[in-house]
């Protein structure tokens, strides 16, 4: 389960857990968040990667990855590589199709 949720004092409280198999790392394990948006923003600021279902229709739900298990990103458009098939030299198929050049650093 990526998002752990419990009800306390009539409010929903949240914590994030990494979706990578066999990873038990959580974001800020010492504190529950009453505001989900604040939690997700803080997690992103701390290096977590959060692919959302509405941005990636192939996902069944939102996915959360800790900095130790980040997914690769397209070097040109920075889209997250959910499915690495068709990716070449760090570019996604859409950037390759559009012939968008990318520079290696």
């Amino acid at each position: 389960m990526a998002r752990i949720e419990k009800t306390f004092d009539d409010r929903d409280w949240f914590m994030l857990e990494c979706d990578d198999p066999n990873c038990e790392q959580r974001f800020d394990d010492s504190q529950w968040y009453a505001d989900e948006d604040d939690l997700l923003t803080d997690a992103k600021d701390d290096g977590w990667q959060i692919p959302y279902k509405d941005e990636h229709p192939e996902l069944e739900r939102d996915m959360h990855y800790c900095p130790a298990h980040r997914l690769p990103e397209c070097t040109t458009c920075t889209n997250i590589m959910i499915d690495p098939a068709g990716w070449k030299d760090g570019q996604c198929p859409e950037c390759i199709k559009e012939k968008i050049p990318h520079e290696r650093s």
Side-chain angles (χ1 to χ4, degrees), residues 1 9 31 41 48 61 68 73 78 82-83 89 93 98:
M1 180 187 332
D9 289 341
Q31 183 178 2
T41 299
W48 280 65
R61 58 180 174 80
E73 297 176 350
T78 70
I82 300 298
D83 179 5
D89 295 326
E98 296 294 324

Side-chain angles (χ1 to χ4, degrees), residues 71-89:
L71 296 171
E73 297 176 350
C74 176
T75 56
T76 306
C77 67
T78 70
N79 286 336
I80 297 169
M81 292 193 200
I82 300 298
D83 179 5
W87 292 70
K88 297 178 183 174
D89 295 326

Side-chain angles (χ1 to χ4, degrees), residues 8-21:
F8 182 73
D9 289 341
D10 296 325
R11 299 179 74 182
D12 290 334
W13 292 71
F14 304 92
M15 188 187 299
L16 287 185
E17 187 173 69
C18 182
D19 271 318
D20 196 79

Side-chain angles (χ1 to χ4, degrees), residues 10-102:
D10 296 325
R11 299 179 74 182
D12 290 334
W13 292 71
F14 304 92
M15 188 187 299
L16 287 185
E17 187 173 69
C18 182
D19 271 318
D20 196 79
N22 302 316
C23 181
E24 296 180 3
Q25 184 165 329
R26 295 178 180 176
F27 173 72
D28 198 357
D29 202 21
S30 64
Q31 183 178 2
W32 290 86
Y33 281 76
D35 188 295
E36 183 180 11
D37 291 334
D38 287 347
L39 167 64
L40 298 176
T41 299
D42 288 351
K44 281 184 169 182
D45 290 346
D46 206 42
W48 280 65
Q49 199 170 46
I50 307 170
Y52 295 102
K53 181 181 181 293
D54 59 348
E55 295 172 0
H56 301 276
E58 68 272 23
L59 295 179
E60 293 181 4
R61 58 180 174 80
D62 297 343
M63 307 288 281
H64 308 88
Y65 293 89
C66 71
H69 298 101
R70 290 176 61 84
L71 296 171
E73 297 176 350
C74 176
T75 56
T76 306
C77 67
T78 70
N79 286 336
I80 297 169
M81 292 193 200
I82 300 298
D83 179 5
W87 292 70
K88 297 178 183 174
D89 295 326
Q91 277 192 303
C92 70
E94 189 64 26
C95 286
I96 294 169
K97 183 175 94 177
E98 296 294 324
K99 297 184 179 176
I100 300 172
H102 79 286

